[in-house]
Amino acid sequence: MNPFNYIDNHLTVDGVSVSEIATAVGTPVYIYSKAFFQARLVEFETAFADIPHLLCYSVKTCANLSLLKLSAENGFGADIVSGGELFKAIKAGLSPCRIVFSGVGKTASEMAEALRADILMFNVESAEELETLAQVAGNLNLRAKVALRVNPDVDPQTHPYIATGLKASKFGISHDEAITLYKQAAANPHLKVIGIDCHIGSQLTSVTPFVAAAEKLRDLAIELQSAGLNLRYLDMGGGLGIRYNNEIIPAVSEYAAVLKPLLKSLPGLTLILEPGRRIAGPSGALLVKVLYNKRNGSKNFVVTDGAMNDLIRPSLYGSYHRILPVLRTGASKNVVDVVGPVCESGDFLARERLLPAVKAGDLLAVLEAGAYGYSMSSNYNARLRAAEVLVENGFFRVIKSRESYEDLTRGEYI
Ligand code: LLP
C-alpha cells in the first residue's frame, strides 16, 4: 500500500532507490510517488462516481505545479485560499470553473482576480466579506457566485489548531446569521447564491463528525430551498485523516457511504469535497541526512540536515511522523531525539523515538510528509528550502529545485 518499501534492505519508492535520489539531488529533499498520489485521486473519484460530485484538491496541502496538474488530469478541481493559490492552480491547468475559494481573509484584490478568472464559487465566511465581495463584483460589473461557509458547531476531535467547525473558531458563519445573510445575498444583484459550505477540521479519524455536520447543512439547505433559494452545491470541505502512527482511519469508501445518503434528500445538489492530506500525505516523504550523533545529559540526539523549517508539523502540533533508515542494517536500537540545525529547542522531527543506531552520512526518511510538509516550509535561519522530486514509472525528476543563496536575498535591498 505504502509507496516507500524496502527492497534488499534498501528503501525504495515505487522501486526507485531513495539513496540514488539523495546522491543525485542532495538532502533535504521531498520525494513524492506519482502513482500513489494518482491512485488516491482515483480512489476518491471512484467512491463518489455514482452521485453528482466535484472533487477539489486542497491546494494548500502540497502545491507543486506537477501535483496540481496531475489532479487536473484526473478530473479534480481545486480548493484555494489565496490569490497565490489561484495563480498556481490556473498555471497548472486547473479549470477556474472547478475552483472554490475559501478562507476568512480574502482581500478585495484577490476577489477581483478570482472574479475575472470566473471561478466556480466563493465560500464566504462573514457579513463584511459578503459586502466587500458584492462591491468588488459590482465595480467589475460581474456577479459573484457564492456559498456561505456555515459553522456547524461540531467537534471534529482533532488537534485544536486544525479544528475549524466549533463555534468559538474564527471560521464560518453561525446557523442563524447564515439565514439572514443568505437572504441579503439573494437580494443583491452582484451576488448569485449557488451553494452551502462547511469545513470542520483536518486529520479527522472518525466519520461521525462529518455526518453530524452534513446533517446540519442538509437541514439548513432544505430550509433555504423552501425559502426559495436555488442551491446547486453542498460543499463539505476536506478533513479525512491519514495514519501517521497507530490511528485507525476510515476508508474513503466508508466516508462516501455515510455522506452519499444525505445527498439523496437534496435532489439537484452536487456534492463538493476538498480533500488534501488524504491524497498528498502518504504520497510523500522528507529525506534527510544524519550530520552528527551527540549526547547531552541522559539524552541522545541525532542531528540531521532537515529541520523545523523543512517540516514544521512535529514542532507546531507535536505531530508524529514515522522515520525509517534508508539502509536497514539490523543495528541495535536507541531512544533518540531527531533534531535539525535550527536554533530552537523546539526544532525536532521526532522525540524519544526508538531508532536503529545511525552514523554521520546515513539517510533517514520521514514518512507521511507529503501533506503540509513542503507547503509549510520556510527560510527560517536563512536555510534554503528543500528540493522536490517526483518518482514516476521507475524514474525520478526534480519538480522543484533546491533554493540557492541568491533566492534568499531576492527582492531585498540595502
Ligand atoms: N478545505 C478547507 C477550507 C481547509 O481549510 C482545508 C485545510 C482543507 C479543505 C483540506 O483539509 P485536509 O483534507 O487536508 O484535512 N497544517 C495542518 C493542517 C491544516 C489544515 C488547514 N485546512 C497540518 O499540518 O496538520
Side-chain angles (χ1 to χ4, degrees), residues 2 6 29-30 63 70 74 132 144 146 148 178 232 237 274 279 282 287 300 304 316 381 397 402 405:
N2 193 291
Y6 286 103
V29 56
Y30 275 93
L70 187 58
N74 284 273
T132 303
V146 299
L148 296 189
R232 289 166 47 204
E274 306 167 356
I279 294 164
L287 185 64
N300 297 310
T304 75
L316 189 57
N381 278 208
R397 64 191 167 89
R402 184 178 309 289
Y405 287 153

PDB file of all heavy atoms in Angstrom, residues 2 6 29-30 63 70 74 132 144 146 148 178 232 237 274 279 282 287 300 304 316 381 397 402 405:
ATOM      1  N   ASN A   2       1.846   1.309   0.951  1.00  0.00           N
ATOM      2  CA  ASN A   2       2.702   2.494   1.031  1.00  0.00           C
ATOM      3  C   ASN A   2       3.714   2.505  -0.117  1.00  0.00           C
ATOM      4  O   ASN A   2       4.253   1.454  -0.472  1.00  0.00           O
ATOM      5  CB  ASN A   2       3.430   2.458   2.385  1.00  0.00           C
ATOM      6  CG  ASN A   2       4.082   3.776   2.699  1.00  0.00           C
ATOM      7  OD1 ASN A   2       5.048   4.174   2.058  1.00  0.00           O
ATOM      8  ND2 ASN A   2       3.546   4.473   3.672  1.00  0.00           N
ATOM      9  N   TYR A   6      11.064  -1.395   1.486  1.00  0.00           N
ATOM     10  CA  TYR A   6      12.441  -1.905   1.392  1.00  0.00           C
ATOM     11  C   TYR A   6      12.543  -2.964   0.306  1.00  0.00           C
ATOM     12  O   TYR A   6      11.677  -3.830   0.182  1.00  0.00           O
ATOM     13  CB  TYR A   6      12.870  -2.531   2.723  1.00  0.00           C
ATOM     14  CG  TYR A   6      13.148  -1.504   3.796  1.00  0.00           C
ATOM     15  CD1 TYR A   6      12.224  -1.270   4.814  1.00  0.00           C
ATOM     16  CD2 TYR A   6      14.335  -0.771   3.797  1.00  0.00           C
ATOM     17  CE1 TYR A   6      12.478  -0.331   5.800  1.00  0.00           C
ATOM     18  CE2 TYR A   6      14.596   0.171   4.790  1.00  0.00           C
ATOM     19  CZ  TYR A   6      13.668   0.385   5.779  1.00  0.00           C
ATOM     20  OH  TYR A   6      13.925   1.319   6.758  1.00  0.00           O
ATOM     21  N   VAL A  29      15.361  16.566   0.911  1.00  0.00           N
ATOM     22  CA  VAL A  29      14.581  16.559  -0.325  1.00  0.00           C
ATOM     23  C   VAL A  29      13.226  15.894  -0.048  1.00  0.00           C
ATOM     24  O   VAL A  29      13.154  14.907   0.682  1.00  0.00           O
ATOM     25  CB  VAL A  29      15.350  15.840  -1.467  1.00  0.00           C
ATOM     26  CG1 VAL A  29      15.750  14.421  -1.099  1.00  0.00           C
ATOM     27  CG2 VAL A  29      14.533  15.809  -2.760  1.00  0.00           C
ATOM     28  N   TYR A  30      12.190  16.476  -0.606  1.00  0.00           N
ATOM     29  CA  TYR A  30      10.862  15.854  -0.565  1.00  0.00           C
ATOM     30  C   TYR A  30      10.723  14.946  -1.776  1.00  0.00           C
ATOM     31  O   TYR A  30      11.041  15.351  -2.902  1.00  0.00           O
ATOM     32  CB  TYR A  30       9.746  16.907  -0.605  1.00  0.00           C
ATOM     33  CG  TYR A  30       9.428  17.456   0.763  1.00  0.00           C
ATOM     34  CD1 TYR A  30      10.042  18.605   1.238  1.00  0.00           C
ATOM     35  CD2 TYR A  30       8.514  16.816   1.584  1.00  0.00           C
ATOM     36  CE1 TYR A  30       9.745  19.096   2.510  1.00  0.00           C
ATOM     37  CE2 TYR A  30       8.207  17.300   2.851  1.00  0.00           C
ATOM     38  CZ  TYR A  30       8.829  18.430   3.308  1.00  0.00           C
ATOM     39  OH  TYR A  30       8.540  18.898   4.563  1.00  0.00           O
ATOM     40  N   ALA A  63       1.449  22.165  -2.999  1.00  0.00           N
ATOM     41  CA  ALA A  63       1.032  22.999  -4.132  1.00  0.00           C
ATOM     42  C   ALA A  63       1.998  22.961  -5.309  1.00  0.00           C
ATOM     43  O   ALA A  63       1.991  23.857  -6.143  1.00  0.00           O
ATOM     44  CB  ALA A  63       0.828  24.427  -3.649  1.00  0.00           C
ATOM     45  N   LEU A  70      -1.433  16.986 -12.136  1.00  0.00           N
ATOM     46  CA  LEU A  70      -1.901  15.598 -12.021  1.00  0.00           C
ATOM     47  C   LEU A  70      -3.350  15.566 -11.507  1.00  0.00           C
ATOM     48  O   LEU A  70      -4.171  14.781 -11.992  1.00  0.00           O
ATOM     49  CB  LEU A  70      -0.968  14.852 -11.052  1.00  0.00           C
ATOM     50  CG  LEU A  70      -1.142  13.356 -10.892  1.00  0.00           C
ATOM     51  CD1 LEU A  70      -0.977  12.642 -12.227  1.00  0.00           C
ATOM     52  CD2 LEU A  70      -0.120  12.818  -9.878  1.00  0.00           C
ATOM     53  N   ASN A  74      -6.808  14.270 -13.568  1.00  0.00           N
ATOM     54  CA  ASN A  74      -7.693  13.237 -13.033  1.00  0.00           C
ATOM     55  C   ASN A  74      -9.073  13.781 -12.683  1.00  0.00           C
ATOM     56  O   ASN A  74      -9.792  13.207 -11.870  1.00  0.00           O
ATOM     57  CB  ASN A  74      -7.033  12.562 -11.833  1.00  0.00           C
ATOM     58  CG  ASN A  74      -5.944  11.601 -12.273  1.00  0.00           C
ATOM     59  OD1 ASN A  74      -6.221  10.446 -12.551  1.00  0.00           O
ATOM     60  ND2 ASN A  74      -4.726  12.098 -12.409  1.00  0.00           N
ATOM     61  N   THR A 132     -18.043  43.165   0.925  1.00  0.00           N
ATOM     62  CA  THR A 132     -16.893  43.524   0.082  1.00  0.00           C
ATOM     63  C   THR A 132     -16.973  42.803  -1.257  1.00  0.00           C
ATOM     64  O   THR A 132     -16.734  43.399  -2.313  1.00  0.00           O
ATOM     65  CB  THR A 132     -15.568  43.164   0.804  1.00  0.00           C
ATOM     66  OG1 THR A 132     -15.553  43.831   2.047  1.00  0.00           O
ATOM     67  CG2 THR A 132     -14.358  43.560  -0.009  1.00  0.00           C
ATOM     68  N   ALA A 144     -20.811  37.622  -8.490  1.00  0.00           N
ATOM     69  CA  ALA A 144     -20.024  36.594  -7.789  1.00  0.00           C
ATOM     70  C   ALA A 144     -20.931  35.437  -7.384  1.00  0.00           C
ATOM     71  O   ALA A 144     -21.989  35.651  -6.800  1.00  0.00           O
ATOM     72  CB  ALA A 144     -19.384  37.199  -6.544  1.00  0.00           C
ATOM     73  N   VAL A 146     -21.748  32.562  -4.974  1.00  0.00           N
ATOM     74  CA  VAL A 146     -21.362  32.379  -3.578  1.00  0.00           C
ATOM     75  C   VAL A 146     -22.054  31.200  -2.891  1.00  0.00           C
ATOM     76  O   VAL A 146     -23.171  30.815  -3.236  1.00  0.00           O
ATOM     77  CB  VAL A 146     -21.642  33.646  -2.723  1.00  0.00           C
ATOM     78  CG1 VAL A 146     -20.867  34.831  -3.229  1.00  0.00           C
ATOM     79  CG2 VAL A 146     -23.122  33.970  -2.658  1.00  0.00           C
ATOM     80  N   LEU A 148     -22.244  30.246   1.458  1.00  0.00           N
ATOM     81  CA  LEU A 148     -21.812  30.706   2.768  1.00  0.00           C
ATOM     82  C   LEU A 148     -21.180  29.525   3.479  1.00  0.00           C
ATOM     83  O   LEU A 148     -21.708  28.402   3.437  1.00  0.00           O
ATOM     84  CB  LEU A 148     -22.978  31.259   3.582  1.00  0.00           C
ATOM     85  CG  LEU A 148     -23.672  32.505   3.023  1.00  0.00           C
ATOM     86  CD1 LEU A 148     -24.659  33.061   4.044  1.00  0.00           C
ATOM     87  CD2 LEU A 148     -22.678  33.590   2.623  1.00  0.00           C
ATOM     88  N   ALA A 178     -26.393  32.888   9.163  1.00  0.00           N
ATOM     89  CA  ALA A 178     -26.362  32.410   7.768  1.00  0.00           C
ATOM     90  C   ALA A 178     -27.708  32.654   7.091  1.00  0.00           C
ATOM     91  O   ALA A 178     -27.771  33.100   5.941  1.00  0.00           O
ATOM     92  CB  ALA A 178     -25.989  30.929   7.723  1.00  0.00           C
ATOM     93  N   ARG A 232     -27.211  24.845  -5.606  1.00  0.00           N
ATOM     94  CA  ARG A 232     -26.755  23.789  -6.529  1.00  0.00           C
ATOM     95  C   ARG A 232     -25.621  22.950  -5.951  1.00  0.00           C
ATOM     96  O   ARG A 232     -25.344  21.853  -6.421  1.00  0.00           O
ATOM     97  CB  ARG A 232     -26.318  24.423  -7.843  1.00  0.00           C
ATOM     98  CG  ARG A 232     -27.518  24.956  -8.651  1.00  0.00           C
ATOM     99  CD  ARG A 232     -27.086  25.875  -9.771  1.00  0.00           C
ATOM    100  NE  ARG A 232     -25.989  25.307 -10.530  1.00  0.00           N
ATOM    101  CZ  ARG A 232     -25.129  26.030 -11.247  1.00  0.00           C
ATOM    102  NH1 ARG A 232     -25.238  27.335 -11.302  1.00  0.00           N
ATOM    103  NH2 ARG A 232     -24.160  25.440 -11.919  1.00  0.00           N
ATOM    104  N   GLY A 237     -16.154  20.428   2.411  1.00  0.00           N
ATOM    105  CA  GLY A 237     -14.755  20.682   2.762  1.00  0.00           C
ATOM    106  C   GLY A 237     -13.891  19.432   2.682  1.00  0.00           C
ATOM    107  O   GLY A 237     -14.246  18.443   2.033  1.00  0.00           O
ATOM    108  N   GLU A 274     -13.239  18.723  -0.582  1.00  0.00           N
ATOM    109  CA  GLU A 274     -11.948  19.406  -0.735  1.00  0.00           C
ATOM    110  C   GLU A 274     -10.833  18.607  -0.051  1.00  0.00           C
ATOM    111  O   GLU A 274     -10.199  19.091   0.887  1.00  0.00           O
ATOM    112  CB  GLU A 274     -12.037  20.807  -0.112  1.00  0.00           C
ATOM    113  CG  GLU A 274     -13.176  21.654  -0.645  1.00  0.00           C
ATOM    114  CD  GLU A 274     -13.446  22.915   0.202  1.00  0.00           C
ATOM    115  OE1 GLU A 274     -12.795  23.096   1.246  1.00  0.00           O
ATOM    116  OE2 GLU A 274     -14.318  23.697  -0.191  1.00  0.00           O
ATOM    117  N   ILE A 279      -4.771  12.628   0.159  1.00  0.00           N
ATOM    118  CA  ILE A 279      -4.166  12.366  -1.146  1.00  0.00           C
ATOM    119  C   ILE A 279      -2.643  12.552  -1.075  1.00  0.00           C
ATOM    120  O   ILE A 279      -1.875  11.693  -1.483  1.00  0.00           O
ATOM    121  CB  ILE A 279      -4.801  13.309  -2.195  1.00  0.00           C
ATOM    122  CG1 ILE A 279      -6.279  12.939  -2.375  1.00  0.00           C
ATOM    123  CG2 ILE A 279      -4.052  13.256  -3.528  1.00  0.00           C
ATOM    124  CD1 ILE A 279      -7.116  13.984  -3.052  1.00  0.00           C
ATOM    125  N   PRO A 282       0.399  10.521   2.480  1.00  0.00           N
ATOM    126  CA  PRO A 282       1.192   9.296   2.382  1.00  0.00           C
ATOM    127  C   PRO A 282       1.963   9.178   1.068  1.00  0.00           C
ATOM    128  O   PRO A 282       2.775   8.275   0.912  1.00  0.00           O
ATOM    129  CB  PRO A 282       0.124   8.180   2.454  1.00  0.00           C
ATOM    130  CG  PRO A 282      -1.177   8.860   2.703  1.00  0.00           C
ATOM    131  CD  PRO A 282      -1.047  10.291   2.377  1.00  0.00           C
ATOM    132  N   LEU A 287      13.361  13.332   2.941  1.00  0.00           N
ATOM    133  CA  LEU A 287      14.611  12.587   3.105  1.00  0.00           C
ATOM    134  C   LEU A 287      15.670  13.516   3.687  1.00  0.00           C
ATOM    135  O   LEU A 287      15.896  14.609   3.151  1.00  0.00           O
ATOM    136  CB  LEU A 287      15.048  12.085   1.716  1.00  0.00           C
ATOM    137  CG  LEU A 287      16.252  11.180   1.663  1.00  0.00           C
ATOM    138  CD1 LEU A 287      15.969   9.869   2.387  1.00  0.00           C
ATOM    139  CD2 LEU A 287      16.595  10.887   0.199  1.00  0.00           C
ATOM    140  N   ASN A 300      19.969  11.284  23.993  1.00  0.00           N
ATOM    141  CA  ASN A 300      20.699  11.066  22.743  1.00  0.00           C
ATOM    142  C   ASN A 300      20.034  11.876  21.636  1.00  0.00           C
ATOM    143  O   ASN A 300      18.814  11.848  21.500  1.00  0.00           O
ATOM    144  CB  ASN A 300      20.634   9.591  22.338  1.00  0.00           C
ATOM    145  CG  ASN A 300      21.315   8.703  23.357  1.00  0.00           C
ATOM    146  OD1 ASN A 300      22.453   8.965  23.745  1.00  0.00           O
ATOM    147  ND2 ASN A 300      20.612   7.674  23.815  1.00  0.00           N
ATOM    148  N   THR A 304      20.220  16.038  12.129  1.00  0.00           N
ATOM    149  CA  THR A 304      20.132  15.822  10.678  1.00  0.00           C
ATOM    150  C   THR A 304      20.184  17.160   9.946  1.00  0.00           C
ATOM    151  O   THR A 304      20.066  18.227  10.565  1.00  0.00           O
ATOM    152  CB  THR A 304      18.810  15.124  10.294  1.00  0.00           C
ATOM    153  OG1 THR A 304      17.734  16.082  10.384  1.00  0.00           O
ATOM    154  CG2 THR A 304      18.506  13.934  11.193  1.00  0.00           C
ATOM    155  N   LEU A 316       5.149  22.230  15.578  1.00  0.00           N
ATOM    156  CA  LEU A 316       3.947  23.057  15.728  1.00  0.00           C
ATOM    157  C   LEU A 316       2.799  22.321  16.403  1.00  0.00           C
ATOM    158  O   LEU A 316       2.082  22.884  17.219  1.00  0.00           O
ATOM    159  CB  LEU A 316       3.525  23.564  14.338  1.00  0.00           C
ATOM    160  CG  LEU A 316       2.432  24.619  14.271  1.00  0.00           C
ATOM    161  CD1 LEU A 316       2.799  25.857  15.078  1.00  0.00           C
ATOM    162  CD2 LEU A 316       2.172  25.019  12.812  1.00  0.00           C
ATOM    163  N   ASN A 381      16.192  30.795   9.726  1.00  0.00           N
ATOM    164  CA  ASN A 381      17.651  30.621   9.899  1.00  0.00           C
ATOM    165  C   ASN A 381      18.388  30.745   8.570  1.00  0.00           C
ATOM    166  O   ASN A 381      19.484  30.217   8.395  1.00  0.00           O
ATOM    167  CB  ASN A 381      18.007  29.275  10.552  1.00  0.00           C
ATOM    168  CG  ASN A 381      17.866  29.284  12.080  1.00  0.00           C
ATOM    169  OD1 ASN A 381      18.561  28.547  12.769  1.00  0.00           O
ATOM    170  ND2 ASN A 381      16.992  30.098  12.619  1.00  0.00           N
ATOM    171  N   ARG A 397      12.389  12.748 -11.218  1.00  0.00           N
ATOM    172  CA  ARG A 397      12.799  14.047 -11.745  1.00  0.00           C
ATOM    173  C   ARG A 397      12.514  15.131 -10.721  1.00  0.00           C
ATOM    174  O   ARG A 397      11.603  14.998  -9.898  1.00  0.00           O
ATOM    175  CB  ARG A 397      12.117  14.342 -13.087  1.00  0.00           C
ATOM    176  CG  ARG A 397      10.637  14.471 -13.017  1.00  0.00           C
ATOM    177  CD  ARG A 397      10.011  14.489 -14.422  1.00  0.00           C
ATOM    178  NE  ARG A 397       8.585  14.296 -14.318  1.00  0.00           N
ATOM    179  CZ  ARG A 397       7.699  15.275 -14.174  1.00  0.00           C
ATOM    180  NH1 ARG A 397       8.111  16.533 -14.147  1.00  0.00           N
ATOM    181  NH2 ARG A 397       6.418  15.022 -14.071  1.00  0.00           N
ATOM    182  N   ARG A 402      16.173  22.885  -5.485  1.00  0.00           N
ATOM    183  CA  ARG A 402      16.564  23.386  -4.169  1.00  0.00           C
ATOM    184  C   ARG A 402      16.846  24.881  -4.317  1.00  0.00           C
ATOM    185  O   ARG A 402      17.352  25.327  -5.338  1.00  0.00           O
ATOM    186  CB  ARG A 402      17.857  22.665  -3.734  1.00  0.00           C
ATOM    187  CG  ARG A 402      18.351  23.014  -2.346  1.00  0.00           C
ATOM    188  CD  ARG A 402      19.608  22.195  -2.008  1.00  0.00           C
ATOM    189  NE  ARG A 402      19.383  20.763  -2.254  1.00  0.00           N
ATOM    190  CZ  ARG A 402      18.600  19.989  -1.502  1.00  0.00           C
ATOM    191  NH1 ARG A 402      18.006  20.488  -0.458  1.00  0.00           N
ATOM    192  NH2 ARG A 402      18.436  18.710  -1.787  1.00  0.00           N
ATOM    193  N   TYR A 405      21.445  30.511  -2.575  1.00  0.00           N
ATOM    194  CA  TYR A 405      21.657  31.692  -1.734  1.00  0.00           C
ATOM    195  C   TYR A 405      21.063  32.941  -2.392  1.00  0.00           C
ATOM    196  O   TYR A 405      20.555  33.824  -1.720  1.00  0.00           O
ATOM    197  CB  TYR A 405      23.154  31.895  -1.443  1.00  0.00           C
ATOM    198  CG  TYR A 405      23.721  30.883  -0.459  1.00  0.00           C
ATOM    199  CD1 TYR A 405      25.066  30.532  -0.484  1.00  0.00           C
ATOM    200  CD2 TYR A 405      22.903  30.300   0.505  1.00  0.00           C
ATOM    201  CE1 TYR A 405      25.580  29.619   0.424  1.00  0.00           C
ATOM    202  CE2 TYR A 405      23.416  29.377   1.415  1.00  0.00           C
ATOM    203  CZ  TYR A 405      24.756  29.041   1.369  1.00  0.00           C
ATOM    204  OH  TYR A 405      25.261  28.145   2.255  1.00  0.00           O
TER     205      TYR A 405
END
